Amino acid sequence: MNKLFIAISAAVLLCGVIVSAGCVSDTAGNNTGSSLTGNWTAADNPLVTLVFNDDGTYSGEAQVNLYNGTFSVNGSSLDMGDGVNRTKRAGPSDMMEAEDSYLGCLTRVSSYAVSGDTLTLSDKDGEVLLTFARMESAADKNTNTEQSTEHLLYGIWNLNGSERVTIIFNQDWTYGGQAPVNSYGGSFTFGAADKETNRIPLKLSDSVSTLMAGAPKDMEAEDAYYAALRSAVSCSVTSSDNGTSQRLELFDKDGVLLLSFTRTAETVPSAPATTAKRALPYGTWLLTEDSAVSLSFNPDGTYSGKAQVNSFSGTYLVYGPASKPYGESLEMSPAVRTKMAAADPVVNAAENSFFEALESANEYNLSADAAGVLNSLELLDKYGTVLLTFVKGE
């Protein structure tokens, strides 16, 4: 995935940052693991994420790669485990250096403090290494009735110069559309709009697409379109003088315009709360047949958990129209996992079967109790066969 990188020295941006005393809670010793649990974004780069899960695992997205690990809390002390696991993608040298610095800081963390919606991670000497802001959940965003700048992103857009190519941003953190030949989809996140430029930091996941072939010139145009989407790190939304249309522009990290879309006023969503009707599997789920095995779906498009032996993480997307009240099509990337092995081969075999089932998942179904509270999750393959069943964790 492409990441927004703010052009400041990685060492200054992510490690050894000078933070005012007000960022660290005076009551750090009273913090509990529950205040740490949740989704966080780096204060200086809203597209770098860190998720602490109830099952003792953490995961997130750095400048280039996904990463995960395990953690434990004792009062305000925080142990981030024996090391950080990450995918093996390569990126521009400045982004890779920033990522190495960021992940290096995580390995040095010894304590944490939560003050309001701010999280600070410090080393054994009390020096602040990293500062995060709590990520607003998709549910919170969907219940916000104010017309924010970010809300203007939602809806369907047509690529300028092409009647066929579209992109759609949904309020459940998914995007999709029609490319020159194939249809495509993925997940996205965004940050707060810059007050000076009014540009919105934007991160699009690698897209999943159909595999149709077209004329060579159309396939070349499609490859160029996907490349532009991968390079986008910010966007802006503006309205015409007479208010009859809107323009969406995507920019790369150097501020160069990549793609321009328009739509008419009639296609603008009227209110954020009216379009999010899909029930999403957010939260931690426990495998029915073995409650020690957990799976967490996070609002930032990542999943993580603990299998029979290893911890794991990856990305996912929910795509297609919200046609079912408690289920929809699901795409999960192969899991990144630790490399431990159990002494009992039966346990290792059970874990391998679990990961094979995850990779085969193509759909999910949620069930709710009489009060409408979601309490069970099924993952199904493309033929509708149930692969795994879970109950909602505490």
PDB file of all heavy atoms in Angstrom, residues 363-376:
ATOM      1  N   GLU A 363     -16.917 -14.747   1.911  1.00  0.00           N
ATOM      2  CA  GLU A 363     -18.173 -14.136   2.348  1.00  0.00           C
ATOM      3  C   GLU A 363     -18.288 -14.290   3.864  1.00  0.00           C
ATOM      4  O   GLU A 363     -17.651 -15.170   4.448  1.00  0.00           O
ATOM      5  CB  GLU A 363     -19.359 -14.834   1.663  1.00  0.00           C
ATOM      6  CG  GLU A 363     -20.710 -14.177   1.888  1.00  0.00           C
ATOM      7  CD  GLU A 363     -21.813 -14.850   1.083  1.00  0.00           C
ATOM      8  OE1 GLU A 363     -21.494 -15.457   0.037  1.00  0.00           O
ATOM      9  OE2 GLU A 363     -22.972 -14.769   1.506  1.00  0.00           O
ATOM     10  N   TYR A 364     -19.047 -13.427   4.484  1.00  0.00           N
ATOM     11  CA  TYR A 364     -19.287 -13.576   5.915  1.00  0.00           C
ATOM     12  C   TYR A 364     -20.765 -13.405   6.223  1.00  0.00           C
ATOM     13  O   TYR A 364     -21.494 -12.735   5.486  1.00  0.00           O
ATOM     14  CB  TYR A 364     -18.463 -12.569   6.732  1.00  0.00           C
ATOM     15  CG  TYR A 364     -18.929 -11.133   6.625  1.00  0.00           C
ATOM     16  CD1 TYR A 364     -19.863 -10.614   7.514  1.00  0.00           C
ATOM     17  CD2 TYR A 364     -18.405 -10.291   5.667  1.00  0.00           C
ATOM     18  CE1 TYR A 364     -20.294  -9.304   7.422  1.00  0.00           C
ATOM     19  CE2 TYR A 364     -18.813  -8.981   5.572  1.00  0.00           C
ATOM     20  CZ  TYR A 364     -19.758  -8.476   6.453  1.00  0.00           C
ATOM     21  OH  TYR A 364     -20.174  -7.174   6.355  1.00  0.00           O
ATOM     22  N   ASN A 365     -21.200 -14.025   7.290  1.00  0.00           N
ATOM     23  CA  ASN A 365     -22.559 -13.856   7.811  1.00  0.00           C
ATOM     24  C   ASN A 365     -22.479 -13.522   9.287  1.00  0.00           C
ATOM     25  O   ASN A 365     -21.726 -14.154  10.028  1.00  0.00           O
ATOM     26  CB  ASN A 365     -23.393 -15.139   7.628  1.00  0.00           C
ATOM     27  CG  ASN A 365     -23.860 -15.323   6.200  1.00  0.00           C
ATOM     28  OD1 ASN A 365     -24.130 -14.353   5.500  1.00  0.00           O
ATOM     29  ND2 ASN A 365     -23.940 -16.569   5.755  1.00  0.00           N
ATOM     30  N   LEU A 366     -23.231 -12.538   9.708  1.00  0.00           N
ATOM     31  CA  LEU A 366     -23.332 -12.169  11.106  1.00  0.00           C
ATOM     32  C   LEU A 366     -24.711 -12.509  11.625  1.00  0.00           C
ATOM     33  O   LEU A 366     -25.705 -12.397  10.890  1.00  0.00           O
ATOM     34  CB  LEU A 366     -23.077 -10.665  11.288  1.00  0.00           C
ATOM     35  CG  LEU A 366     -21.650 -10.177  11.053  1.00  0.00           C
ATOM     36  CD1 LEU A 366     -21.625  -8.661  10.895  1.00  0.00           C
ATOM     37  CD2 LEU A 366     -20.739 -10.614  12.190  1.00  0.00           C
ATOM     38  N   SER A 367     -24.806 -12.928  12.870  1.00  0.00           N
ATOM     39  CA  SER A 367     -26.092 -13.180  13.520  1.00  0.00           C
ATOM     40  C   SER A 367     -26.207 -12.296  14.746  1.00  0.00           C
ATOM     41  O   SER A 367     -25.197 -11.942  15.374  1.00  0.00           O
ATOM     42  CB  SER A 367     -26.218 -14.651  13.929  1.00  0.00           C
ATOM     43  OG  SER A 367     -26.165 -15.502  12.804  1.00  0.00           O
ATOM     44  N   ALA A 368     -27.428 -11.938  15.080  1.00  0.00           N
ATOM     45  CA  ALA A 368     -27.678 -11.054  16.220  1.00  0.00           C
ATOM     46  C   ALA A 368     -28.655 -11.704  17.176  1.00  0.00           C
ATOM     47  O   ALA A 368     -29.462 -12.564  16.794  1.00  0.00           O
ATOM     48  CB  ALA A 368     -28.228  -9.715  15.742  1.00  0.00           C
ATOM     49  N   ASP A 369     -28.590 -11.298  18.445  1.00  0.00           N
ATOM     50  CA  ASP A 369     -29.539 -11.803  19.431  1.00  0.00           C
ATOM     51  C   ASP A 369     -30.849 -11.023  19.342  1.00  0.00           C
ATOM     52  O   ASP A 369     -31.023 -10.174  18.454  1.00  0.00           O
ATOM     53  CB  ASP A 369     -28.955 -11.734  20.843  1.00  0.00           C
ATOM     54  CG  ASP A 369     -28.581 -10.319  21.266  1.00  0.00           C
ATOM     55  OD1 ASP A 369     -29.097  -9.348  20.674  1.00  0.00           O
ATOM     56  OD2 ASP A 369     -27.755 -10.171  22.197  1.00  0.00           O
ATOM     57  N   ALA A 370     -31.774 -11.308  20.237  1.00  0.00           N
ATOM     58  CA  ALA A 370     -33.099 -10.683  20.185  1.00  0.00           C
ATOM     59  C   ALA A 370     -33.040  -9.174  20.314  1.00  0.00           C
ATOM     60  O   ALA A 370     -33.911  -8.454  19.812  1.00  0.00           O
ATOM     61  CB  ALA A 370     -33.982 -11.268  21.290  1.00  0.00           C
ATOM     62  N   ALA A 371     -31.973  -8.670  20.968  1.00  0.00           N
ATOM     63  CA  ALA A 371     -31.825  -7.223  21.151  1.00  0.00           C
ATOM     64  C   ALA A 371     -31.111  -6.567  19.981  1.00  0.00           C
ATOM     65  O   ALA A 371     -30.890  -5.354  19.994  1.00  0.00           O
ATOM     66  CB  ALA A 371     -31.072  -6.945  22.449  1.00  0.00           C
ATOM     67  N   GLY A 372     -30.738  -7.358  18.966  1.00  0.00           N
ATOM     68  CA  GLY A 372     -30.057  -6.807  17.805  1.00  0.00           C
ATOM     69  C   GLY A 372     -28.560  -6.691  17.971  1.00  0.00           C
ATOM     70  O   GLY A 372     -27.883  -6.091  17.129  1.00  0.00           O
ATOM     71  N   VAL A 373     -27.997  -7.278  19.042  1.00  0.00           N
ATOM     72  CA  VAL A 373     -26.551  -7.229  19.274  1.00  0.00           C
ATOM     73  C   VAL A 373     -25.887  -8.372  18.516  1.00  0.00           C
ATOM     74  O   VAL A 373     -26.266  -9.537  18.686  1.00  0.00           O
ATOM     75  CB  VAL A 373     -26.228  -7.332  20.777  1.00  0.00           C
ATOM     76  CG1 VAL A 373     -24.719  -7.341  20.994  1.00  0.00           C
ATOM     77  CG2 VAL A 373     -26.874  -6.189  21.538  1.00  0.00           C
ATOM     78  N   LEU A 374     -24.901  -8.047  17.678  1.00  0.00           N
ATOM     79  CA  LEU A 374     -24.210  -9.066  16.905  1.00  0.00           C
ATOM     80  C   LEU A 374     -23.442  -9.997  17.838  1.00  0.00           C
ATOM     81  O   LEU A 374     -22.680  -9.539  18.687  1.00  0.00           O
ATOM     82  CB  LEU A 374     -23.256  -8.408  15.910  1.00  0.00           C
ATOM     83  CG  LEU A 374     -23.905  -7.473  14.878  1.00  0.00           C
ATOM     84  CD1 LEU A 374     -22.853  -6.824  14.010  1.00  0.00           C
ATOM     85  CD2 LEU A 374     -24.905  -8.237  14.015  1.00  0.00           C
ATOM     86  N   ASN A 375     -23.642 -11.310  17.680  1.00  0.00           N
ATOM     87  CA  ASN A 375     -23.011 -12.252  18.618  1.00  0.00           C
ATOM     88  C   ASN A 375     -22.352 -13.452  17.963  1.00  0.00           C
ATOM     89  O   ASN A 375     -21.706 -14.247  18.651  1.00  0.00           O
ATOM     90  CB  ASN A 375     -24.030 -12.730  19.655  1.00  0.00           C
ATOM     91  CG  ASN A 375     -25.236 -13.405  19.017  1.00  0.00           C
ATOM     92  OD1 ASN A 375     -25.267 -13.655  17.816  1.00  0.00           O
ATOM     93  ND2 ASN A 375     -26.241 -13.691  19.831  1.00  0.00           N
ATOM     94  N   SER A 376     -22.475 -13.633  16.648  1.00  0.00           N
ATOM     95  CA  SER A 376     -21.793 -14.756  16.001  1.00  0.00           C
ATOM     96  C   SER A 376     -21.420 -14.373  14.574  1.00  0.00           C
ATOM     97  O   SER A 376     -22.072 -13.555  13.933  1.00  0.00           O
ATOM     98  CB  SER A 376     -22.657 -16.020  16.008  1.00  0.00           C
ATOM     99  OG  SER A 376     -23.800 -15.860  15.200  1.00  0.00           O
TER     100      SER A 376
END
